[in-house]
Amino acid sequence: MSRSILILILKAIIAIGFVVALFAWLAAHYQMSDLTEQWLRLPGSLVVMASLMIIASHVIRAMRVHFAYSLVCPQPLARVLSVSLVHNTVSFLLPMRLGEAALPVLSKQQLDVDIKYSTATLVLIRLFDAHVLLCLLCFFAGGLFLEGAAWIAPIVLVAGLPVFIYLLRAISHRVPKIAFAKPLFASHPNWLRLYAYTIAIWVIKLFALAMLAATLGNLPIDHAWIATIIADGSALSPLTGLANAGTFQAAFSLPLLPLGYNAQQLVLIAVNVHVFIFIINMLAGISGFIGLRSRATPPTSHS
């Protein structure tokens, strides 16, 4: 058996283990009524508003990819939206970042975008995702976890971004093999716009989730922000459960335990927030799948 297959099997075992552990915890500590009781206290207007905000973040994700692709060839936004929605749902459902391959594959099949360029786009926007999440985490949790050094981390993060872009440009000049990715960062307006999309995505999405978590569990809003930033950001980790189950709940709960919260209460909140994310992601993925072009339709060629 090859090494790659063994690694894939190991990842599957770990992912399933996270899910089994979560269900074992739920069975041992809760009844179904415990999970539904929180939802009965939620105002319907809050659920609708949070849903619309999450949907808006999905649309902005598609706009980010559409802008990146349009730097090399014109693309219809509706078709990019379908590809982006399916990619987001597949990457959410599959563990260990295995679903990320959906974007390059679908971009080639549906949009005739070169796989190397779509992969470079994916890598850059994921780096931007991580950077924005770290900045938000420093803003909301810096004082709690970094104490006197809380002001240093945001400065380093913000100052480091243009340095990173400069290094990318320098490397692309010296290494012709990655010159195909230059349109993404060759000019300041291009990468700044991609980064602005990234800020909008995460601020809108996390604001919705933080409001939901704060209302479900009667948490202070800043604590809800900390928990949702880390929990939703855990999906970027190479170690995740199926649909991020288990890892989401652990990432939501653990940072708040030192603040005196009860672990069972936190897991209950995290489960309900995660169910909300799951439902929205599945509906988005179904919508995107419906919009995909049939394989029988020849792709539009772009020079």
Side-chain angles (χ1 to χ4, degrees):
M1 187 178 297
S2 67
R3 183 172 178 269
S4 59
I5 294 177
L6 285 174
I7 292 175
L8 188 61
I9 292 173
L10 179 61
K11 286 182 175 182
I13 292 172
I14 294 173
I16 293 171
F18 281 127
V19 179
V20 170
L22 173 62
F23 277 99
W25 172 282
L26 294 175
H29 294 87
Y30 306 106
Q31 296 180 352
M32 183 58 66
S33 59
D34 296 323
L35 296 173
T36 58
E37 182 182 353
Q38 289 185 337
W39 284 103
L40 296 176
R41 300 198 304 264
L42 277 182
S45 58
L46 175 61
V47 177
V48 171
M49 183 173 66
S51 301
L52 292 175
M53 293 180 74
I54 300 296
I55 292 170
S57 73
H58 278 288
V59 174
I60 299 172
R61 284 178 184 271
M63 292 170 63
R64 180 174 62 171
V65 175
H66 177 261
F67 173 72
Y69 288 176
S70 296
L71 294 174
V72 294
C73 57
Q75 295 290 344
L77 179 58
R79 192 168 294 163
V80 176
L81 176 62
S82 294
V83 169
S84 178
L85 290 175
V86 173
H87 163 242
N88 291 336
T89 300
V90 172
S91 62
F92 169 76
L93 291 174
L94 295 183
M96 317 295 182
R97 312 308 302 163
L98 294 174
E100 294 286 34
L103 183 63
V105 171
L106 287 173
S107 297
K108 179 62 178 177
Q109 180 194 39
Q110 297 287 317
L111 307 170
D112 199 24
V113 174
D114 182 73
I115 285 183
K116 291 192 299 181
Y117 185 77
S118 58
T119 301
T121 299
L122 177 61
V123 170
L124 184 63
I125 62 178
R126 285 294 176 252
L127 290 172
F128 281 177
D129 285 340
H131 189 270
V132 169
L133 286 170
L134 284 173
C135 289
L136 288 173
L137 188 59
C138 287
F139 179 79
F140 284 99
L144 287 173
F145 299 116
L146 300 176
E147 298 180 349
W151 60 273
I152 298 177
I155 294 176
V156 171
L157 285 170
V158 173
L161 182 60
V163 173
F164 169 71
I165 296 297
Y166 173 80
L167 290 175
L168 275 182
R169 289 178 181 172
I171 294 171
S172 66
H173 287 313
R174 293 178 177 271
V175 183
K177 288 185 177 180
I178 64 171
F180 63 87
K182 279 185 180 181
L184 295 169
F185 48 78
S187 68
H188 291 300
N190 289 357
W191 71 265
L192 283 172
R193 185 167 171 180
L194 287 172
Y195 192 78
Y197 279 131
T198 307
I199 294 174
I201 290 164
W202 286 108
V203 169
I204 291 172
K205 181 180 183 181
L206 292 172
F207 181 70
L209 296 182
M211 284 196 309
L212 198 66
T215 307
L216 281 168
N218 196 26
L219 301 176
I221 190 64
D222 56 334
H223 292 177
W225 267 95
I226 294 169
T228 51
I229 289 169
I230 298 175
D232 210 47
S234 68
L236 299 176
S237 165
L239 290 176
T240 58
L242 295 168
N244 206 20
T247 40
F248 182 93
Q249 286 72 24
F252 184 98
S253 305
L254 291 176
L256 297 187
L257 289 179
L259 302 179
Y261 288 96
N262 178 273
Q264 294 183 26
Q265 176 198 13
L266 293 174
V267 172
L268 185 63
I269 300 167
V271 167
N272 278 328
V273 173
H274 194 232
V275 167
F276 174 78
I277 296 172
F278 181 87
I279 293 172
I280 298 295
N281 277 356
M282 291 304 298
L283 292 175
I286 291 169
S287 300
F289 183 76
I290 292 172
L292 291 181
R293 182 179 53 208
S294 170
R295 286 188 178 185
T297 305
T300 302
S301 179
H302 299 289
S303 56

